[in-house]
Amino acid sequence: MLKIKDLNVSINGKKILKGFNLEVNAGEVHAIMGPNGSGKSTLASVIAGRDIFTVDSGEVTYMGKNLLDMPPDERAKEGLFLGFQYPVEIPGVSMINFMRTAINEKRKHYGLEPLTGMEFMKLMEEKKKIVEIQSKLTNRSVNEGFSGGEKKKNEIFQMAFLEPKLAILDETDSGLDIDALKVVANGVNALKKPDNASVVITHYQRLLDYIVPDFVHVLYDGRIVKSGSKELAIELEEKGYEWIKKEAGINEKAESTE
Amino acid sequence: MKELFIEIYNKNKELINANSNEYLRLLRSNAINIFKENGIPSNKTENWRHADIEKRLKHDYYFDFKSKSTSMNVEEIFKCDVYDLDTFSVTMLNGWFVYKNAPITQLEDGTIIGGLSKAIEVYPDIVEKYLGSAADMNKAGLVALNTAFLQDGLFIYVPDNVEVSKPVQIINIVNSEEKLFLQPRHLVVLGKNSKLTLVHCDHSLVHNINFSNTVSEVFVGENAMFENYKVQNIGDNSSLLTNLFIQQKNGSKVSNNALILNGGFTKNYVDVSINGKNCHADLYGLYLVDDKQFADNQVFVKHAEPESTSNQLYKGILDDMAKGVFSGKVLVNKDAQKTQAYQNNNNILLTDDAKIYTQPHLEIYADDVKCSHGATVGQLDPDALFYLHSRGLCEKTARQLLMYAFASEIVNEISIPALRETINIMVEKRLRGELSICDQCLLHCNDKETAVFNIDLNKI
Ligand SMILES: Nc1ncnc2c1ncn2[C@@H]1O[C@H](COP(=O)(O)OP(=O)(O)O)[C@@H](O)[C@H]1O
Ligand SMILES: [Mg+2]
């Protein structure tokens, strides 16, 4: 479904992703872990099409198409979804107007008629239940004045609403209490279908108690330094990232004096 | 330029002063003398630096002193169907008040609505008490010129304790083969504890060059409420200069909302004198301009008495080579303690060639006050744009949604639901790049395809 080959990405001349490889097949759940600044959010942004990053080399194919050639809105319409680490507040744009526009643009892409007001409201109600999101959140401007937890829930709500084929969730679990965490996990699990896939970027092993990943990857300094099964996450939680660095043969000191 | 106006005045003195009483004649001759002194505002002065009025004035304009107030079936030429907007509708055609039945009407509640020229005849006491007393002819602008040529306009008098049940809508239509120069003059008086909402629509039916120099004076009595909306939707060849003077007494509330949706040259001057305690004034404005259009809002709020509040919020979106000006001034006199005055101007420039000159300004002589001012000029938030793209909204849709969100803060301040809805739709259309005509308005001001209604003024 998603194939990333030797991806090199920089911003303002600073190299962030350095030979990144990943293959995600339908039906799989991948977890990407790694210390702060290792390039997790950059990876997510590049997949979603953020143009502030420069792809220096490498290939990304999504459902057989060259993803890097597609504008971000087309990627979304083709079933890609990014759950933002820092969801953006958009004063004056109501959630309702936003979602209605999004779903109808997507339907147009597939040659479908726009949803009627009734159909749309019904769908909203249905999806709200999945993420236990309160009505008041959907009646407000996008993320405006939302608490950290509300913003994350809202990302999951949008995901549930847009029914993506491939969801990339960037630290959707950070800053959440256990109840909110379960809501997020439920949202991801509800989406799980044989022809869908998700990539869950997380800092903690905690989320993986609720979302069982098929693969865990450790991202360090712009590339995957170790991949394994769910047990890798537990090991990371216990031992921290130091042993990974050693194992990967990365000499921190040498690099910083470079 | 100045000499030309004086020459026109002298040539037409008889016509201008025909059927006028002593008071009016004096007012006019005084005004022409002030105009002779002050002339046309120079672009070397602060408030006119960016407004190229000379260029707008240099056409060979036609002045119509003959038509006078006329009776006609206004609905034949104009029908405003802002859905559910139930209003008392009055019309000005080419600067003259036109009426269906009577030139001046007294409603059951005592409210008087009619043409100013008729009001001077029928209610000289009221008119002479107020006319000319708020509009400072020495303030920059063409207030003196308007006063010297004063002919007709809207007159409303709301007695004490009367809340006028429906908004009064005044529709200003310009429709002429000539390059008309018009100078409507409006007078609105609100008694104690009264309430009035005015919706002022400027339409120019023709694509001819024309110039409107409007002066309005509004007197808001104790604890009265005055709401004013201006929907300015004129053609690129039209120039619109408005001068609004408002005087507030104790406990009164004023809200003014100027919505510039299209227009070659629009300059609004709003002058509010808060001469009472516990007053509040909200001054809002929205300007959506593109091409080579020009929108200028100049606001002056004077706090003369303690414990009143004022709030200015103007927002603009400028595209192409459009130019905008916001110049807001708050003056707090020495005695006006506990004044709260806020001022804000936010702009979005869509191109490198679009320009905004913004100048919020506070002048404070009292020590116990809360005042703030701020101005922002920016582009659409790239993070917000990307967020919308990432949900499948294309570039165009995402931009429109953000622009609409930006504008909606002003539109949402419209308290009449039907008007708010219509303005919402007009703003949305405008931002989609379509012309923002009211669907139901037969005038279709900006619609080049629609035939111009040929009204021969000599026949009516
Ligand atoms: N917009 C940006 N401008 C400059 N540097 C950036 C930008 N975004 C990320 N970086 C840098 O790229 C590196 C990786 O960041 P990020 O992808 O956010 O890491 P992570 O999500 O793993 O914490 C960091 O060193 C960060 O400072
Ligand atoms: Mg991150």
Side-chain angles (χ1 to χ4, degrees):
Chain A
M1 181 173 248
L2 179 72
K3 269 195 198 127
I4 305 178
K5 256 210 235 113
D6 197 23
L7 184 66
N8 287 281
V9 170
S10 60
I11 185 161
N12 301 330
K14 182 183 171 190
K15 289 189 170 125
I16 301 174
L17 294 182
K18 306 165 183 174
F20 182 91
N21 293 288
L22 181 70
E23 187 167 342
V24 179
N25 296 309
E28 294 174 352
V29 175
H30 289 245
I32 295 181
M33 303 183 76
N36 268 336
S38 55
K40 303 184 297 293
S41 293
T42 302
L43 172 70
S45 298
V46 169
I47 296 174
R50 185 87 210 237
D51 62 1
I52 57 172
F53 297 99
T54 316
V55 175
D56 298 317
S57 63
E59 276 175 31
V60 183
T61 44
Y62 169 70
M63 317 260 293
K65 288 185 196 163
N66 180 358
L67 189 72
L68 300 175
D69 273 355
M70 292 158 72
D73 57 293
E74 208 177 307
R75 301 182 193 194
K77 282 180 256 203
E78 292 282 332
L80 194 76
F81 181 88
L82 168 63
F84 284 64
Q85 182 175 4
Y86 304 109
V88 185
E89 296 198 13
I90 313 181
V93 176
S94 71
M95 268 309 290
I96 290 183
N97 195 7
F98 177 34
M99 284 297 99
R100 189 160 180 187
T101 311
I103 194 95
N104 285 336
E105 291 242 327
K106 186 170 175 179
R107 290 177 66 87
K108 199 165 107 193
H109 184 72
Y110 290 103
L112 299 170
E113 288 293 306
L115 289 183
T116 65
M118 280 294 271
E119 288 165 337
F120 170 75
M121 291 320 284
K122 228 180 105 194
L123 192 64
M124 283 284 274
E125 288 311 313
E126 198 182 297
K127 301 298 181 184
K128 271 196 238 173
K129 280 188 203 121
I130 298 180
V131 290
E132 298 169 29
I133 200 164
Q134 279 133 11
S135 309
K136 66 171 212 273
L137 293 188
T138 53
N139 288 333
R140 284 174 23 202
S141 288
V142 179
N143 294 321
E144 194 190 22
F146 286 24
S147 71
E150 285 169 342
K151 282 182 183 162
K152 297 294 170 90
K153 270 196 196 177
N154 192 19
E155 294 295 287
I156 300 300
F157 168 73
Q158 291 173 45
M159 181 183 79
F161 192 85
L162 296 170
E163 298 180 331
K165 293 195 180 84
L166 175 65
I168 297 162
L169 300 178
D170 190 0
E171 297 205 31
T172 306
D173 56 331
S174 329
L176 294 187
D177 58 28
I178 280 292
D179 287 337
L181 198 69
K182 281 183 190 161
V183 169
V184 168
N186 283 344
V188 176
N189 292 330
L191 192 76
K192 203 172 166 177
K193 283 186 195 146
D195 49 355
N196 290 350
S198 22
V199 175
V200 180
I201 295 171
T202 180
H203 229 63
Y204 314 99
Q205 182 263 328
R206 185 171 81 131
L207 178 68
L208 306 178
D209 288 342
Y210 302 96
I211 302 171
V212 184
D214 301 297
F215 301 95
V216 174
H217 310 278
V218 181
L219 183 66
Y220 185 77
D221 194 25
R223 65 197 140 95
I224 288 176
V225 292
K226 196 170 176 69
S227 293
S229 63
K230 185 178 153 36
E231 280 66 42
L232 178 58
I234 299 167
E235 214 173 339
L236 273 174
E237 184 89 350
E238 283 167 4
K239 300 191 195 166
Y241 288 106
E242 283 311 309
W243 66 278
I244 291 276
K245 292 180 197 167
K246 279 192 198 116
E247 192 164 297
I250 296 159
N251 186 332
E252 196 94 34
K253 280 209 182 96
E255 213 166 70
S256 59
T257 53
E258 208 175 312
Chain B
M1 194 73 69
K2 173 175 123 183
E3 284 66 36
L4 188 73
F5 283 106
I6 294 166
E7 197 189 308
I8 291 165
Y9 178 86
N10 287 334
K11 258 196 206 153
N12 295 283
K13 223 168 161 178
E14 293 290 299
L15 267 173
I16 293 170
N17 283 314
N19 309 317
S20 297
N21 65 12
E22 190 59 25
Y23 178 83
L24 264 187
R25 285 165 188 265
L26 253 168
L27 189 69
R28 289 194 194 106
S29 72
N30 184 28
I32 198 73
N33 286 334
I34 293 177
F35 178 72
K36 278 178 193 164
E37 290 253 317
N38 297 350
I40 314 263
S42 145
N43 63 2
K44 290 190 181 64
T45 59
E46 191 68 34
N47 293 324
W48 292 83
R49 186 173 302 152
H50 307 291
D52 196 352
I53 183 121
E54 291 263 343
K55 188 173 155 206
R56 286 278 163 172
L57 284 176
K58 74 166 189 252
H59 301 283
D60 195 7
Y61 284 112
Y62 173 80
F63 290 74
D64 174 17
F65 301 112
K66 280 196 217 112
S67 295
K68 302 296 173 198
S69 250
T70 0
S71 167
M72 63 183 290
N73 191 356
V74 179
E75 275 141 40
E76 273 172 21
I77 56 154
F78 180 85
K79 188 158 159 273
C80 173
D81 263 350
V82 173
Y83 298 107
D84 309 324
L85 181 61
D86 189 11
T87 60
F88 296 109
S89 192
V90 296
T91 310
M92 302 272 308
L93 177 63
N94 297 340
W96 293 94
F97 191 82
V98 288
Y99 50 89
K100 204 169 161 187
N101 303 312
I104 199 149
T105 323
Q106 183 151 23
L107 306 178
E108 261 173 41
D109 60 18
T111 303
I112 303 163
I113 302 178
L116 182 66
S117 58
K118 193 71 191 173
I120 298 170
E121 280 174 39
V122 189
Y123 304 100
D125 293 354
I126 305 175
V127 174
E128 289 174 16
K129 183 173 171 194
Y130 293 102
L131 188 68
S133 69
D136 185 344
M137 288 192 279
N138 282 310
K139 286 231 160 118
L142 294 174
V143 180
L145 187 69
N146 173 287
T147 310
F149 285 71
L150 191 153
Q151 296 293 305
D152 207 357
L154 173 69
F155 172 76
I156 303 179
Y157 175 79
V158 187
D160 291 354
N161 308 313
V162 170
E163 296 189 358
V164 182
S165 58
K166 299 186 215 171
V168 176
Q169 184 186 21
I170 169 161
I171 298 143
N172 213 359
I173 304 169
V174 182
N175 181 31
S176 169
E177 294 293 304
E178 312 281 354
K179 294 177 182 172
L180 264 190
F181 193 96
L182 29 141
Q183 309 203 66
R185 179 72 174 230
H186 310 306
L187 177 63
V188 177
V189 181
L190 278 83
K192 276 184 213 166
N193 306 312
S194 69
K195 196 177 160 185
L196 175 72
T197 299
L198 202 58
V199 179
H200 202 125
C201 302
D202 280 301
H203 292 275
S204 53
L205 193 49
V206 286
H207 296 280
N208 280 359
I209 290 163
N210 58 67
F211 195 111
S212 294
N213 173 35
T214 309
V215 173
S216 311
E217 292 176 280
V218 181
F219 298 84
V220 189
E222 280 177 28
N223 300 314
M225 266 180 87
F226 175 65
E227 246 177 77
N228 193 40
Y229 298 98
K230 281 186 206 172
V231 183
Q232 299 176 319
N233 199 15
I234 58 168
D236 284 355
N237 290 326
S238 299
S239 305
L240 180 60
L241 206 62
T242 78
N243 302 277
L244 170 63
F245 295 86
I246 302 176
Q247 297 210 340
Q248 287 188 251
K249 285 194 172 162
N250 282 344
S252 61
K253 297 205 165 18
V254 163
S255 174
N256 186 56
N257 200 333
L259 304 142
I260 303 177
L261 300 178
N262 198 67
F265 179 101
T266 308
K267 183 166 168 67
N268 295 319
Y269 174 59
V270 182
D271 184 304
V272 183
S273 291
I274 301 184
N275 300 324
K277 288 183 180 180
N278 297 316
C279 294
H280 182 72
D282 276 318
L283 304 162
Y284 299 112
L286 177 69
Y287 39 102
L288 309 175
V289 281
D290 60 9
D291 205 3
K292 285 182 184 158
Q293 299 180 351
F294 175 75
D296 182 332
N297 285 291
Q298 191 192 333
V299 186
F300 177 67
V301 178
K302 183 177 83 186
H303 284 269
E305 295 285 327
E307 290 159 37
S308 287
T309 53
S310 67
N311 177 37
Q312 300 175 27
L313 177 63
Y314 280 75
K315 298 183 96 170
I317 301 177
L318 300 105
D319 199 357
D320 303 327
M321 284 174 286
K323 193 157 94 172
V325 180
F326 173 78
S327 129
K329 182 167 171 183
V330 177
L331 172 68
V332 182
N333 282 359
K334 202 166 106 254
D335 300 327
Q337 299 294 357
K338 303 228 174 331
T339 289
Q340 290 187 31
Y342 305 104
Q343 212 178 28
N344 245 306
N345 174 233
N346 309 121
N347 299 283
I348 290 180
L349 300 182
L350 297 175
T351 64
D352 290 341
D353 292 328
K355 286 202 169 50
I356 178 78
Y357 303 92
T358 174
Q359 201 175 46
H361 189 80
L362 298 171
E363 198 175 317
I364 303 169
Y365 297 101
D367 42 35
D368 182 15
V369 299
K370 269 191 199 158
C371 294
S372 73
H373 63 151
T376 60
V377 180
Q379 284 80 39
L380 296 174
D381 175 8
D383 290 333
L385 274 174
F386 180 65
Y387 193 75
L388 298 176
H389 292 325
S390 79
R391 302 299 183 246
L393 275 62
C394 68
E395 180 73 23
K396 208 171 141 206
T397 309
R399 289 174 73 86
Q400 277 161 10
L401 208 58
L402 290 186
M403 289 192 283
Y404 175 70
F406 177 83
S408 66
E409 194 184 354
I410 299 293
V411 178
N412 288 338
E413 293 294 344
I414 300 174
S415 69
I416 308 166
L419 184 65
R420 186 172 58 236
E421 260 319 294
T422 302
I423 297 296
N424 246 326
I425 293 165
M426 286 167 79
V427 166
E428 245 181 295
K429 268 194 190 168
R430 180 70 168 96
L431 296 173
R432 275 206 303 268
E434 294 166 30
L435 293 164
S436 54
I437 43 171
C438 304
D439 270 345
Q440 301 296 306
C441 172
L442 294 178
L443 290 177
H444 289 267
C445 334
N446 292 310
D447 190 347
K448 290 197 172 67
E449 306 306 318
T450 312
V452 170
F453 293 77
N454 270 314
I455 302 164
D456 187 345
L457 290 174
N458 296 318
K459 284 186 194 148
I460 53 177

